[in-house]
Amino acid sequence: MGGWVVKITKAGNFTEPKLYAIAESDPRRALFLVNQAANGAPPADRVETVNELSSDAVQTLGLAPNEVRDVTANPPSP
C-alpha cells in the first residue's frame, strides 16, 4: 500500500507548514484522515497532498494502514 504526504498551511502563516505522512492510497481519504488527526484544520487553512509515497516509503516509515505521522522535521522521499 502506498500513501501520501499532506501539508497543512495555517492561514496567515505560510512559512511554517506542517507535513504529515499517511498510509492511505486514496488521496481524498488521506486528506480527510490527516485533517481529523490534526484536530480539524479551520476552513481558512490549506490542506493539500504534496507527494505520493511508494509502498517502500510507507514500509520504511513503518506506517500501519491509515496511520498518520507528523514528518515536518524529517519529510520522507516519495
Side-chain angles (χ1 to χ4, degrees):
M1 168 187 281
W4 290 91
V5 174
V6 175
K7 178 170 73 171
I8 297 180
T9 306
K10 296 287 183 187
N13 186 5
F14 302 109
T15 59
E16 297 182 28
K18 298 286 273 180
L19 295 174
Y20 298 89
I22 181 162
E24 169 57 57
S25 57
D26 179 352
R28 291 171 295 171
R29 179 144 171 81
L31 290 170
F32 170 78
L33 292 170
V34 168
N35 190 36
Q36 199 173 41
N39 296 322
D45 291 355
R46 183 178 177 129
V47 182
E48 60 187 317
T49 55
V50 291
N51 288 323
E52 189 170 4
L53 295 173
S54 67
S55 56
D56 289 340
V58 169
Q59 185 176 7
T60 298
L61 289 168
L63 294 172
N66 296 323
E67 182 181 353
V68 176
R69 183 174 303 153
D70 185 339
V71 294
T72 303
N74 191 20
S77 301

